[in-house]
Each structure stands twice: as C-alpha cells, then as structure tokens.
Amino acid sequence: LLLFSGMAMGINWILLFEAYKYTTVSVATLSYYFAPVLVTIACPFIFREKMTGKQVICFVMSTVGIVLITGGDLFVGGAESVAGNRNLIGILFGLGAAVFYATVILLNKFIKNVAGIHRTFLQFLAAIIILVPYVALTGGCTLGGLDGKGWVCLLIVGLIHTGLTYCMYFSSLKELPGQKAAILSYIDPLVAVLASVLILSEPLTAVQALGGALILGFTAWNELGGRK
C-alpha cells in the first residue's frame, strides 16, 4: 500500500504541474481541490463512515468557499484570456491530479502501525519511481542552471514545505476520519491566498475574502461546534 500510495503521489504532482502549464492557477487549483469532494463521497462506501447533517452542511459551504477563493478570477471574466482547448486540457489535468490525491488519502487510511516519518520516507521513494522517468522524458535535470538563491529556495521547498509537512500530514491521516481530513484540506488553498496577500502583496477580492470566511467559519463549526 505504501508503494502504491507513493506512486499515486508522484502522478498527482506530475498532473498538477502539467495543469499549471495549460490553464490559470485559479482554474487548476479549483479542479485539483475536488479531491476532498472525492474523499468525502468515497468514505461512506469504503470505511462505512456516516455523514451527519452538520457535516453535509459544512462540506457544502466549504466547497462554496473554495470555489469563491480559487475561482474568483473566473467570476470576473478571467477565464476569457485562456484559449478554450488549453483551458480544457488544464482542467482535465487538474481533475486527474485530484483523483490521485484522493487515492493517496484513502490508501493512507489503510496503512496501520507505520510512523509518520517512515511512511513519508517510503512514499517519497516510491514517488521517485514515477518522477525519474517523467523528468528524463520531459527535458531532463536542469539543476546546473540554479544560482545560490535558487538552491536555497529549492532546499526550503524540499525539506520544509514538502518533507516536514508531508510527515505531519501522513501522521494525522491515521488519526482522523477521512471526512474530517477532507474538510480540513480546504485550509490549504486558504493559506495560499493569505500568503499571496501578506507576503507577495497580491490583491484579495471581496469574493475571495468571502470564500475564506466560509472555509474558516464552517471548518471551525464542524470541529468545535459540538464541544463545550
């Protein structure tokens, strides 16, 4: 299962970055974040997890929030600048990435008695099986062209934003019900929007702000609403 999960993770990365080549980041992200939808739908059939009315409401409203955040440009006509065929290809790549991302989440629910650091390491090794041939067939390795700043950024992304965070992520999957993991996944693009505003000084529209409020509010209600 670790092998298949790692290979699915590798394919997921490939398809997501291919989506970025063909369509806008908003459209690619919107397509990609149908993965939690797939997980939530699959869990009642695979794990016999029951969905309460409250979870359904939180799920629907969080979905609305993610559409508002990542699809904000679509609602104001941003998609008109993307050629139709390339846009469709990008959406299909994004949805394909979503399928494999959902597969990673579901497979990790079956993996028991394996520490987070171990499952992260083994799944990264399995992902290499997929990524090495892909890199070889799409231009090869171009690390020689990186300067000092590029190497520092690459190491930060690899060690912290990938290695450390995936270790935390896989550790949490074995403790959380699949539906909770799916709903909490919506915080990911929300953080991306906040980082773009606070660090990169990119604009935040009122529609995106509303989407962020929906995600935070209904995620908090789902997690804390029933507790004293």
Side-chain angles (χ1 to χ4, degrees), residues 77-122:
E80 295 177 359
S81 62
V82 181
N85 289 337
R86 290 181 61 84
N87 191 47
L88 176 60
I89 293 173
I91 291 173
L92 293 177
F93 274 126
L95 291 175
V99 170
F100 284 96
Y101 179 36
T103 301
V104 172
I105 296 176
L106 295 171
L107 286 176
N108 271 270
K109 293 295 294 179
F110 288 103
I111 301 171
K112 306 295 183 181
N113 302 320
V114 180
I117 184 65
H118 294 150
R119 66 171 63 197
T120 302
F121 178 72
L122 293 174

Side-chain angles (χ1 to χ4, degrees), residues 194-217:
L194 292 176
S196 71
V197 173
L198 299 177
I199 299 176
L200 301 178
S201 299
E202 295 179 346
L204 177 66
T205 66
V207 172
Q208 290 173 323
L210 175 60
L214 287 175
I215 294 174
L216 283 180

Side-chain angles (χ1 to χ4, degrees), residues 30-41 94-95 97-103 105 182 185-186:
L30 176 61
S31 305
Y32 181 56
Y33 272 91
F34 271 97
V37 177
L38 300 176
V39 172
T40 303
I41 294 173
L95 291 175
V99 170
F100 284 96
Y101 179 36
T103 301
I105 296 176
S185 294
Y186 286 111

